[in-house]
């Protein structure tokens, strides 16, 4: 096993950033001499979601040394933290998730990485981590992708992707509850399975004995709360995810794919697992459908990049077919729409699952069957949105949201 990489900033004066800002142009390269093994398709190693590529990005912040130090691209390996590091005690951390796609044209792309970088800056502020220019984070992600994409996403294997995980942690060795004085921003590329299969399955080969179309959601109970108004549900911090694992595991044990998170006695619909939730319902007394999702203003909902892209794309390509609405709605509204034959379809969306149709919602012993379109696999609107956004992600549609990677591999950069 490689020696742990220290999270402390350099002390010999090298790598010092004269202006204190994160600066991707000062990136220092150290390439691996032992390339890692690439997991086989659909293997247990792939589904474990723990296999990273050959390199990672490290960017250290130290207030005592003037702020941000020169970032580094180094071989992937363990980190070294002091037991008193703030992040281990007070959840002073945040992260992002995006995908690096291998397009059908052979090019590697990110999808709207500027949105992820800006959201990470917002999340960092919520847990008192240092500021950074979002554009510099995008450049660092690009640098890592440029080096590792050629081997890990071969140009002749279109349709594949790697999961990009920028992570930001407070590292000062102190139990004092205070703003971060030392921090580490790191970026890794991780091998992920195809979660965005519209048939919805969460293990190798799917649930073979119970393969089904659409996700099955178990509605949360009143005493089970993921986020609340005025809280931090709108920030991508670990404290939003760890406490939800108990509920998710219990749902999985009952055969469900995700939790449908409800809030309050009213049963307000918020999110599906870690995804944003959309419903398409016809208005009462009419045939015109509405694409509905919960609003952002009370800080309960994560402002998902896929969520924003769905809303903007629906306005662009579906405005003549439906109205796009951000408003609160309850589980009872969904049940009423089913009983009145007004529910058209539902889907969850996020980076990992992309746009995943929902086939069933279980609420207080009642199974709510959600329509899945004429073919029984996905609703027609979900298909149109997947086709449009997927086309951008994979280079079939030329669009500013598709951020192209200029690949180099490790050999063409002087370390």
């Amino acid at each position: 096993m490689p020696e742990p990489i220290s999270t402390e900033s350099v002390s010999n004066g090298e790598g010092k950033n004269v202006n204190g800002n994160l600066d991707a142009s000062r990136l220092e390269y150290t390439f691996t001499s032992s390339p890692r093994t690439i997991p086989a398709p659909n293997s247990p190693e792939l589904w474990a979601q723990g296999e990273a590529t050959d390199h990672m990005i490290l960017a250290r912040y130290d207030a005592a040394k003037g702020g941000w130090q020169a970032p580094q691209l180094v071989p992937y390996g363990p980190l070294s933290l002091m037991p008193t590091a703030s992040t281990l005690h007070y959840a002073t951390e945040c992260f992002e998730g995006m995908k690096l796609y291998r397009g059908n044209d052979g090019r590697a792309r990110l999808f709207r990485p500027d949105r992820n970088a800006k959201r990470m800056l917002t999340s960092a502020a919520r847990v008192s981590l240092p500021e950074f220019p979002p554009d510099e984070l995008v450049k660092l992600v690009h640098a890592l992708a440029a080096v590792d994409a050629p081997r890990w996403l071969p140009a002749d294997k279109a349709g594949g992707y790697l999961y990009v995980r920028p992570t930001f942690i407070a590292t000062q060795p102190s139990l004092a509850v205070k703003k971060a004085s030392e921090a580490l921003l790191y970026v890794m590329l991780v091998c992920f399975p195809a979660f965005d299969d519209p048939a919805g399955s969460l293990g190798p080969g799917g649930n073979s004995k119970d393969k089904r179309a659409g996700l099955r959601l178990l509605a949360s109970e009143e005493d089970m709360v993921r986020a609340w108004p005025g809280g931090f549900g709108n920030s991508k911090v670990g404290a939003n995810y760890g406490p939800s694992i108990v509920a998710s595991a219990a749902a999985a044990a009952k055969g469900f794919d995700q939790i449908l998170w409800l809030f309050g006695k009213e049963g307000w619909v918020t999110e599906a697992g870690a995804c944003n939730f959309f419903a398409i319902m016809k208005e009462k007394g009419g045939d015109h459908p509405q694409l509905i999702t919960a609003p952002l203003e009370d800080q309960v909902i994560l402002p998902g990049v896929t969520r924003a892209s769905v809303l903007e794309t629906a306005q662009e390509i579906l405005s003549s077919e439906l109205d796009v609405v951000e408003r609160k709605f309850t589980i009872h509204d969904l049940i009423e729409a089913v009983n009145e034959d007004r529910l058209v379809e539902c889907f969850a969306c996020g980076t990992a699952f992309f746009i995943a149709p929902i086939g069933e919602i279980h609420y207080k012993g009642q199974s709510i069957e959600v329509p899945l379109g004429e073919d029984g696999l996905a609703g027609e609107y979900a298909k149109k949105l997947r086709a449009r956004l997927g086309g951008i992600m994979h280079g079939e549609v030329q669009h500013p949201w598709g951020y192209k990677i200029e690949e180099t591999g490790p050999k063409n950069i002087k370390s």
Side-chain angles (χ1 to χ4, degrees):
M1 176 178 290
E3 289 295 319
I5 299 170
S6 174
T7 59
E8 297 179 2
S9 58
V10 294
S11 58
N12 61 3
E14 294 180 5
K16 185 175 181 181
N17 195 330
V18 294
N19 62 12
N21 290 329
L22 183 63
D23 184 355
S25 71
R26 305 188 71 244
L27 182 64
E28 301 169 352
Y29 293 82
T30 303
F31 298 117
T32 185
S33 58
S34 302
R36 296 167 58 81
T37 301
I38 299 175
N42 211 35
S43 64
E45 292 80 13
L46 184 66
W47 279 93
Q49 301 161 57
E51 294 296 322
T53 62
D54 293 322
H55 301 93
M56 61 183 179
I57 295 285
L58 303 178
R60 296 176 176 88
Y61 174 92
D62 190 332
K65 294 178 176 145
W68 287 99
Q69 311 299 293
Q72 301 167 298
L73 183 146
V74 299
Y76 177 82
L79 301 174
S80 174
L81 282 174
M82 294 300 290
T84 51
S86 173
T87 189
L88 301 177
H89 302 274
Y90 306 126
T92 45
E93 65 81 42
C94 62
F95 62 95
E96 269 302 324
M98 60 187 104
K99 287 178 179 177
L100 173 63
Y101 301 89
R102 177 60 71 188
N104 294 326
D105 59 353
R107 295 293 301 271
R109 286 178 178 80
L110 299 167
F111 181 74
R112 307 189 79 177
D114 57 313
R115 298 286 298 238
N116 292 92
K118 290 174 183 176
R119 185 173 66 182
M120 191 171 199
L121 180 62
T122 300
S123 298
R126 188 66 178 84
V127 288
S128 299
L129 286 166
E131 293 183 351
F132 59 87
D135 289 348
E136 298 303 303
L137 174 57
V138 174
K139 293 174 186 176
L140 290 174
V141 172
H142 182 282
L144 179 60
V147 169
D148 279 357
R151 178 169 183 258
W152 290 80
L153 280 179
D156 61 351
K157 293 185 178 179
Y161 74 88
L162 294 168
Y163 195 80
V164 186
R165 173 49 60 88
T167 308
F168 198 11
I169 61 176
T171 58
Q172 72 267 17
S174 172
L175 296 183
V177 183
K178 64 178 183 179
K179 183 178 180 179
S181 58
E182 297 178 28
L184 175 68
L185 172 60
Y186 61 98
V187 184
M188 51 191 171
L189 307 177
V190 181
C191 300
F192 259 42
F195 280 140
D196 56 359
D197 180 348
S201 58
L202 299 179
N207 300 318
S208 58
K209 66 180 180 180
D210 189 25
K211 185 69 175 177
R212 60 192 175 275
L215 297 176
R216 300 182 69 221
L217 305 183
L218 176 64
S220 63
E221 302 290 339
E222 287 183 20
D223 61 352
M224 191 185 305
V225 179
R226 188 201 69 85
W228 53 92
F232 45 86
N234 62 334
S235 300
K236 205 165 179 67
V237 296
N240 274 334
Y241 294 80
S244 71
I245 294 174
V246 171
S248 298
K254 296 177 181 178
F256 295 94
D257 296 303
Q258 293 286 343
I259 289 281
L260 177 63
W261 291 105
L262 307 180
F263 180 76
K265 294 182 179 180
E266 300 86 353
W268 298 111
V269 176
T270 62
E271 296 187 342
C275 300
N276 295 120
F277 180 92
F278 282 82
I280 298 177
M281 295 186 284
K282 295 178 182 178
E283 298 177 273
K284 284 188 176 183
D287 291 328
H288 194 68
Q290 294 182 328
L291 175 67
I292 305 170
T293 195
L296 301 176
E297 62 259 19
D298 59 7
Q299 300 181 357
V300 172
I301 305 298
L302 185 73
V305 176
T306 311
R307 174 190 183 275
S309 302
V310 164
L311 291 172
E312 293 172 46
T313 301
Q315 292 278 20
E316 177 189 355
I317 69 171
L318 298 175
S319 59
S320 64
E321 302 178 42
L322 50 71
D323 295 327
V324 179
V325 181
E326 295 178 72
R327 68 168 174 84
K328 290 185 175 183
F329 61 102
T330 70
I331 184 68
H332 307 291
D333 293 327
L334 291 177
I335 294 172
E336 182 181 60
V338 169
N339 293 338
E340 297 177 356
D341 198 29
R342 292 187 293 107
L343 184 63
V344 179
E345 62 183 271
C346 296
F347 59 84
C349 74
T351 299
F353 278 75
F354 188 26
I355 297 173
I358 294 166
E360 177 187 352
I361 299 171
H362 195 79
Y363 174 70
K364 292 188 175 181
Q366 177 183 359
S367 180
I368 306 168
E369 297 295 329
V370 180
L372 283 167
E374 293 183 0
D375 61 4
L377 295 175
E380 298 307 310
Y381 293 112
K383 288 180 180 177
K384 291 179 181 179
L385 291 165
R386 281 177 61 92
R388 174 65 174 178
L389 293 176
I392 297 172
M393 294 166 179
H394 293 98
E396 296 167 353
V397 176
Q398 297 302 310
H399 196 283
W401 293 351
Y403 180 93
K404 295 178 182 178
I405 302 297
E406 300 300 326
E407 299 175 66
T408 60
K411 294 182 179 180
N412 296 323
I413 297 177
K414 184 178 179 180
S415 61

